[in-house]
Amino acid sequence: MSQDISESEVSPSDKNITEVDLANAHEIFLSGAVPKPRERKHPILPIDGERNVLVTSALPYVNNVPHLGNIIGCVLSADVFARYCRLRNYNVLYVCGTDEYGTATETKALEEGVTPQQICDKYHKLHADIYSWFNIDFDQFGRTTTSQQTQIAQDIFWRLYNGGFILADTVEQLLCEKCDRFLADRFVEGTCPLCFYEDARGDQCDKCGKLINATELKDPRCKVCSSTPVVKTSEHLFLDLPKIEPQLTEWFDKTFSEGDWTSNAMGIARAWVRDGLKPRCISRDLKWGTPVPLEGFTDKVFYVWYDAPIGYLSITANYTAEWRQWWQNQKQVQLYNFMAKDNVPFHSVIFPCTCLGTDDNYTLVNHLIATEYLNYEDGKFSKSRQVGVFGDQAKDTGIPADIWRFYLLYIRPESQDSSFSWTDFVTKNNSELLNNLGNYINRSLMFLFNSFNGIMPELHLTDEDKRLLVVVCRELQGYTSLLEKARIRDALRYILNISRHGNQYIQGNKPWALVKGSDAERERAGTVMGLSANVVCLLSVLLQPFMPAVSENIQQQLNIPRDVNVITGDFVCMLKPGHQISKPAPLFQKIDASMAEELKQKFAGKQPEVTKVKNGPASTEEMEKLSLAVKEQAEKVRNLKASTAEKQLIDAEVKLLLDLKQKLVVTSAATADVADQREVDVEEVKRLTEAVALQATKVRDLKANKVDKSVLDSEVKQLLGLKNQLALASGEKPATGGGNQAKKKKGKK
């Protein structure tokens, strides 16, 4: 479900208004000053004594088309914040680009029969075109396959190496003796150890969706030549995270207290260091990547998650030769990283450790803004099954980019997962945009144009008008205070509140009746509509980060210069008496419910696989295979725990064990009640299994961070609900009652 923004969530801004409030708002409105916007002149560099804001969004991987969840989690959220900062006259640089090295690029090139460079060129342009259509306003949108990337990544490596932060160790990998090369995860296929799908990849099974290690595949084969690879050891380079951990912990204490990190980002970062960091491999046996410059390792490239964050630096270096002014300037620059939560470990732990280890004054993230996940119609986006809307498909619907921006930002998963829904999309367009915001703007300007020839009348403000000034000022302050902390979704509601108050103001004064009355009544109508037009002017500025094309359209109708595009925190009269507006036109169009249903069907994709299971004994061979797999995996987990292995490794193997047990449950469900025939939806079981695992991790992190009991109870309740859904989907009887009830029963015994 979407996270709805309702009036009830907003503190009433029209309560407890004093005479002093009225007088102050009136004075500011009439005599307040607004500075001119900062000129955006490239290259933008930090300026002494000013607020220098460096904005990045996680680099999208180049081998595929971004879906709506990718767009809202990274580039769109960062774009809103960067646009807001420009409106505040901060000195802002927003950089992003495509992440182009690594296994996935080589694999995609192999699939399409082209070179990795051709793949990168193709998808870089595709990404750039999509973001341009969505009105993403980068200062620089670059790529990681550049000479600057090689130079900076290798320079950082040498500083780490010379500082004693690089280790060498051996790892087990699959070697194709026929191709004479170690096989990266995606160059291996085989039988999934969990669901026995015969075409699983070396990093993930496409059928059950579970993450696996290439060496765990049954009957592995090389994707290039189909030969059977063998397990061999290969020497690799590791970043000595334990040696840097004290510096990281000290930095955490400072940045968590001074910066604005989302709660999920802090929780994930703390979880990584809670049990102590372990050395992390930074090299791979690939050809496509930044070459490792160390003798004895020159046939290897840097691992993408060492290499990729350095892309921010190299992309800036391609923008300006003075890139170090941004990236080696911790005192003057405030760095904001935007991403989905799956990227948090690399931006909060791995990359900061890399920078700290160089001892070269690199700019570290001050504010890490991570979203939860955006789902699609209560399921997941899937390119392979053609489920959900992808960036290149949004344009084809005929719906303007700003409508997409509005809805994605309206349901932005700021504190919990949210879901794109076509029904809700249409509802929000028709209610919030058409009937609320659009109705207020159009009726205000049309009335002024038709009844006053589009000329701003003199304003004779009464206490009622001044009350509106106070209310708008309070909503404006709520808007700015939230956007200062990058709480984008919550800030949007204040724009909608202002138009709501404006509609109520017009409705209460009935200017359509006043304009037909006496001179005094006509004068009153002029004040009401003149004040409303000024509110519309303010809305055009506040909308600019969220809906830039709509904002520009409103300002064209108002016939105002771009100089109005500054936010100071005050509501100031920008449309003076005598100002002539242009002819207004509607901003939004109604979307019929039938169109929503049509689009929902269009993007529903292939139907999920449903396995019909006749009740009765399951296959003896299948049951034996699964039971043995569960037993072997359980033994593996016990051995890892006994050897005090790295927590992340143990967690991954525990997850595999749980997945195997779940598969066993689904298969065993066939033994129940021979009189019935039941359907087990494999895709739904897969989705719910993943949801349970994610929610369980969230609960563990919350417990570790000792959050408020009410917050924890809410998340535990959600976890129990997901477990019950999983039980039903698997053909089991769900648990009755919650954890508290179970404890009470236990106490009675």
Side-chain angles (χ1 to χ4, degrees), residues 516-570:
K516 299 174 183 177
S518 64
D519 289 347
E521 288 174 322
R522 182 174 174 79
E523 180 183 273
R524 176 63 187 153
T527 295
V528 170
M529 299 321 298
L531 179 54
S532 293
N534 268 285
V535 174
V536 169
C537 181
L538 175 65
L539 284 171
S540 76
V541 180
L542 302 185
L543 275 170
Q544 203 271 347
F546 295 89
M547 306 179 78
V550 169
S551 167
E552 185 175 1
N553 189 350
I554 297 169
Q555 292 183 4
Q556 288 173 352
Q557 294 183 31
L558 287 169
N559 190 30
I560 52 178
R562 298 184 68 84
D563 284 359
V564 302
N565 288 310
V566 177
I567 295 175
T568 63
D570 293 328

Side-chain angles (χ1 to χ4, degrees), residues 65-80:
V65 182
H67 58 63
L68 298 182
N70 302 138
I71 291 169
I72 185 57
C74 301
V75 295
L76 178 53
S77 294
D79 181 61
V80 172

